[in-house]
Amino acid sequence: MGKKLKKEAEPPPKDVFDPLTIESKKAATVVLMLNSPEEEILAKACEAIYKFALKGEENKATLLELGAVEPLTKLLTHEDKIVKRNATMIFGILASNNDVKKLLRELDVMNSVIAQLAPEEEVVIHEFASLCLANMSAEYTSKVQIFEQGGLEPLIRLLSSPDPDVKKNSIECIYNLVQDFQCRATLQELNAVPPILDLLKSEFPVIQLLALKTLGVITNDKESRTMLRDNQGVDQLIKILEAKELNDLHIEALAVIANCLEDMDTMVMIQQTGGLKKLLTFAENSTIPDIQKNAAKAITKAAYDSENRKLFHEQEVEKCLVTLLGSENDGTKIAASQAISVMSENSASKEFFNTQGIPQLIQLLKSDNEEVREAAALALANLSTCNSANANAIAEADGIDPLINTLSSKRDGAIANAATVLTNMALQEPLRTAIQGHDVMRALHGPLRSANTVVQSKAALTVAATACDADARAELRNSGGLEPLVELLRSKNEEVRRHASWAVMVCAGDEPMAGELCRLGALEILEEINLSLSRKNKFSEAAYNKLLNSNLSLKYSQLGYLSSSNIISDGFYDYGRISPGTRLLPLKELCLQEPNDLRAILLINSKTSDISPPPSTEDKSSDIGYGRSISSSSSLRRASKERANYRFSTGLGSPTEEKPEPASGRNTSLSKSTVKEKGLRKGRGKKEEEKVKEEEEVAAIPKLPGEGTTDKEWFPPSDPDFCVYVHEVTKSILPKTNIRDQIEALAKYVAEKMGGRIPRDKLHDFSWELHISELKFQLKSNVIPIGLVKKGIFYHRALLFKALADKIGIGCSLVRGEYGRAWNRVKLMNESSKGVIGVPPPPENYIVDLMFSPGTLMKLRSKDADLYRFL
């Protein structure tokens, strides 16, 4: 037999590539392999890239630069399970890089990632796909994509996964998604609360913590709170608080309970099951500051409901809060103070804090922490509102000084709250006096200048409450507080304007303050405010009227009315009617003006002046009037003689006395040189005697005391005739015991001095205009003292009647009408009318006739026709 030969192996086909094993050490090479059509190469390349990405953020950035993301996105839907799994794992890691997130959003791969959450996929794919979504959901745009592409439902389903990593990633992604309201609403529809509650039983604290955080967000909605209550979630939360080993979860559990307490039904259920008592005990006994703080916040949120406040009071929550005030942690003190602020809405709680709580809060006002001071001041503000007992308790606990010191705090809230407390306390006169004794007006200077409108408003209100006394108002003026107060009237904030107007109204209670306010422009600002329908308020109108009462000349010019309580004093002048917004010039400027064709200005002045001008070296043949030389007049000479005779006969003074006679603002006596000349009259000729007489008569004409003196010594023109009027009515009319007789006598007296009775049909022949023009020409001024007017009509007589009536205490008003009309209104008891037994009839209004039948009183009816017929 022949020898057997070996069979030769057949060579491989010529079109088949021989297998090649490559070992790559460059990431760029592996990235190129992602475009290979071979599953084995793709799987190994993905595995290598996954390991490379795990090593750090720099490697993730390198892969992004090498362009690995785009080919990897195509592998998410690869038919080979290993390739798809490895690609998903890579995206789970890469998605933590912000630049990768941005690129993934642009490539729109969210749908492909969500598809990996399907139930039939492997647990590993679920883990890394959910991890990718958790990383992506940290940004708002990605949240929207996940929600719109239906990612919420599969994530909720994965909460029941047996794998803890899948649960952790899913609940983390859900937590990020529910920050948006739409996602929370969809979560309720998908019944997500039960599976989230199940996560509280997890062995892994991170899963429990994420579950509690998610519940803390979704329970802001009432529907979710109801679902939590129906699934016994509150009981689970209380058990977590009772478990000391779960103290790392207590803070988040308290946050969820705080939301649940806002729901009345949940609150009742917790209270009935004893959970509320456990909660308060837990908060009181805990040694962890954050837990105490969150417990106080939970009480605060729930106490906004009145029914909840009642339940809290039944559980003696006040004791718990007072204990928390003594915590060493500032955050706990702030939270407890805020809870007290809300609980003070309950009257029973307010009473409790009267003895326990207020002293501790006052101590907190001395804290170095501004937020603590603000919270304590807020609590005191609420406790003292409409509660005089608590306001007294604050004072008894020496709280005034800390409160005033808080007015200089750096926090606007603390300043506003402290001002509110002081306002509440100042409603009681003893406390207001105590506050005034602590230099409160100076302390309010800073808050009045604050840029914060709340602080401005509260500070102005405090001024209104504390400036009720003259000393306090003087302190405010001396400390420079009026200027910022007046500036607040210009505020665009309605409440600031209202409270500033209120304060101005209070401050205008005395003349010095009113004068200073007017000097600072308060009257003009208030007038401007009241002309605006949108800006004016009741207080601005009241403040304006109060200031007008201190400037009766302006009031009568603008309003045309003075009430019986508006007492005309010396220096009052009737300029005539002016329109709103028109500035009324001061009397000095009006006196120094040249006469013109405008209406004469009537001056009331009963003051006398001891100031005598130096001897004149000018021509003795000229008169001096209001600072300008005028010609002598026979009518004025006659008036001068009459006044001299009256003074001699009544003992008011002698024209031959060497001592100068006092006159209101003008020297009505003779100069020393004139007196000397009188002694030499016998040796002079007739012409010289006449010249001396003219000088005497000129001296009797009212003059400005400022003639020959400095500007600071200016006084209004004196009115000797009016002084005589006052003396005569005081002597002859005041002693009358019947008020009606006084009014009738005064009316006749005024008519007599103003030209007598004028028949109605002769009124047009009464040449009062010429008389007034002569006086203006002779005085070289538009300002005419009322005593010089010897021919007067309605408005002259009504003004004189009002001025004299005020001097002797007859109550009457002054009303300006049209066409030169003016009248006086008085109130008298109607003797013929009978009131109810034991109750006198109300007084009736009468108008005093000063023209046609002086002394006649006509009852004023509601119809204007009666008034015009009378006039």
Side-chain angles (χ1 to χ4, degrees), residues 536-798:
K536 72 175 182 179
N537 55 74
K538 295 295 183 183
F539 288 109
S540 67
E541 293 175 345
Y544 182 69
N545 290 331
K546 196 75 172 287
L547 286 176
L548 279 183
N549 287 336
S550 68
N551 190 342
L552 295 183
S553 300
L554 178 60
K555 180 176 182 178
Y556 189 51
S557 293
Q558 283 199 351
L559 305 183
Y561 175 78
L562 294 180
S563 68
S564 58
S565 61
N566 296 140
I567 306 300
I568 291 180
S569 59
D570 295 323
F572 173 90
Y573 58 100
D574 178 13
Y575 181 85
R577 189 189 306 275
I578 63 174
S579 58
T582 304
R583 178 174 177 263
L584 179 65
L585 294 176
L587 180 60
K588 180 179 179 180
E589 292 185 31
L590 294 172
C591 286
L592 299 178
Q593 286 181 350
E594 294 291 334
N596 51 44
D597 57 353
L598 297 178
R599 175 190 185 279
I601 300 165
L602 302 178
L603 172 66
I604 302 295
N605 188 15
S606 64
K607 288 184 178 179
T608 58
S609 174
D610 294 330
I611 299 176
S612 300
S616 174
T617 59
E618 298 179 0
D619 185 7
K620 303 296 181 181
S621 63
S622 64
D623 293 331
I624 298 175
Y626 298 5
R628 293 172 288 274
S629 70
I630 61 173
S631 301
S632 61
S633 168
S634 60
S635 62
L636 290 178
R637 283 199 295 271
R638 285 194 299 271
S640 176
K641 291 177 181 178
E642 291 173 3
R643 289 193 293 273
N645 292 336
Y646 174 80
R647 292 191 193 97
F648 184 80
S649 63
T650 58
L652 293 177
S654 171
T656 61
E657 289 178 358
E658 184 173 332
K659 183 178 179 181
E661 179 186 353
S664 178
R666 284 191 165 266
N667 185 18
T668 58
S669 67
L670 305 178
S671 65
K672 292 182 179 179
S673 61
T674 305
V675 175
K676 291 178 182 178
E677 288 175 351
K678 287 177 67 178
L680 299 174
R681 266 182 206 171
K682 295 180 180 180
R684 294 184 177 180
K686 185 176 181 181
K687 292 183 179 179
E688 289 183 356
E689 290 181 3
E690 290 178 354
K691 188 175 182 180
V692 171
K693 288 181 180 180
E694 289 182 2
E695 290 173 357
E696 293 176 7
E697 293 160 359
V698 169
I701 301 174
K703 302 176 184 178
L704 285 175
E707 297 166 3
T709 62
T710 62
D711 185 61
K712 291 183 179 178
E713 297 173 335
W714 186 90
F715 290 93
S718 63
D719 191 352
D721 285 2
F722 183 68
C723 294
V724 172
Y725 295 169
V726 174
H727 176 81
E728 289 181 349
V729 299
T730 303
K731 185 177 180 180
S732 61
I733 298 177
L734 182 60
K736 295 180 182 293
T737 57
N738 186 284
I739 184 65
R740 185 182 292 269
D741 294 342
Q742 287 182 330
I743 294 172
E744 292 176 354
L746 181 60
K748 293 176 181 177
Y749 180 88
V750 168
E752 178 187 351
K753 297 301 179 183
M754 286 283 181
R757 174 181 175 275
I758 310 298
R760 195 182 300 269
D761 56 347
K762 300 292 183 181
L763 182 60
H764 61 280
D765 296 329
F766 187 56
S767 58
W768 63 273
E769 295 97 334
L770 179 60
H771 172 62
I772 297 297
S773 298
E774 287 178 351
L775 289 175
K776 289 170 64 175
F777 176 75
Q778 292 157 6
L779 298 173
K780 295 298 183 187
S781 174
N782 284 328
V783 179
I784 301 176
I786 192 71
L788 293 182
V789 178
K790 304 306 177 184
K791 288 186 176 182
I793 58 164
F794 298 99
Y795 73 90
H796 303 101
R797 300 184 182 206

Side-chain angles (χ1 to χ4, degrees), residues 816-838:
R816 188 195 307 280
E818 302 291 341
Y819 310 110
R821 259 57 172 178
W823 57 90
N824 302 103
R825 195 165 61 202
V826 296
K827 285 188 176 183
L828 294 173
M829 301 296 295
N830 190 341
E831 299 175 357
S832 61
S833 63
K834 297 182 180 180
V836 182
I837 299 176

Side-chain angles (χ1 to χ4, degrees), residues 118-276:
E120 61 273 10
E121 297 293 346
E122 299 178 21
V123 173
V124 176
I125 292 180
H126 286 169
E127 177 186 346
F128 286 95
S130 59
L131 178 61
C132 177
L133 292 176
N135 288 329
M136 294 287 291
S137 63
E139 297 182 358
Y140 178 75
T141 308
S142 298
K143 289 180 190 177
V144 175
Q145 290 182 351
I146 296 172
F147 175 72
E148 291 179 349
Q149 297 184 25
L152 195 54
E153 185 175 359
L155 286 168
I156 293 172
R157 187 177 64 249
L158 290 181
L159 294 178
S160 303
S161 172
D163 186 85
D165 288 324
V166 176
K167 290 181 178 179
K168 182 262 180 188
N169 295 337
S170 299
I171 189 62
E172 183 177 359
C173 185
I174 291 172
Y175 171 70
N176 291 336
L177 291 175
V178 295
Q179 306 299 323
D180 182 70
F181 174 78
Q182 284 184 315
C183 293
R184 291 203 299 271
T186 305
L187 202 70
Q188 296 162 11
E189 297 173 4
L190 297 173
N191 196 27
V193 172
I196 295 176
L197 286 173
D198 288 339
L199 296 182
L200 297 179
K201 303 172 185 177
S202 173
E203 300 175 2
F204 301 93
V206 65
I207 295 178
Q208 293 175 309
L209 188 62
L210 285 169
L212 286 171
K213 285 185 174 182
T214 305
L215 289 172
V217 175
I218 65 176
T219 50
N220 284 312
D221 302 326
K222 185 175 181 180
E223 293 78 7
S224 296
R225 292 197 294 267
T226 303
M227 293 176 68
L228 184 74
R229 183 182 70 242
D230 294 343
N231 287 276
Q232 288 75 46
V234 179
D235 293 337
Q236 289 183 249
L237 296 170
I238 296 294
K239 288 178 182 178
I240 290 175
L241 294 180
E242 292 177 331
K244 293 183 179 180
E245 64 276 9
L246 299 178
N247 57 6
D248 55 331
L249 303 178
H250 287 171
I251 295 175
E252 300 300 334
L254 277 172
V256 181
I257 291 176
N259 291 340
C260 294
L261 292 178
E262 293 184 46
D263 185 67
M264 186 59 197
D265 294 334
T266 305
M267 179 75 168
V268 172
M269 186 194 75
I270 295 176
Q271 192 258 348
Q272 290 175 348
T273 57
L276 189 57

Side-chain angles (χ1 to χ4, degrees), residues 467-508:
C468 300
D469 306 309
D471 292 341
R473 291 193 288 268
E475 182 185 349
L476 179 67
R477 183 179 70 249
N478 295 336
S479 65
L482 288 183
E483 184 177 352
L485 181 63
V486 171
E487 283 301 312
L488 293 185
L489 293 173
R490 304 181 189 272
S491 174
K492 296 181 180 179
N493 183 279
E494 183 179 355
E495 187 176 84
V496 173
R497 285 199 310 273
R498 183 168 63 250
H499 288 170
S501 300
W502 191 348
V504 168
M505 180 188 70
V506 173
C507 290

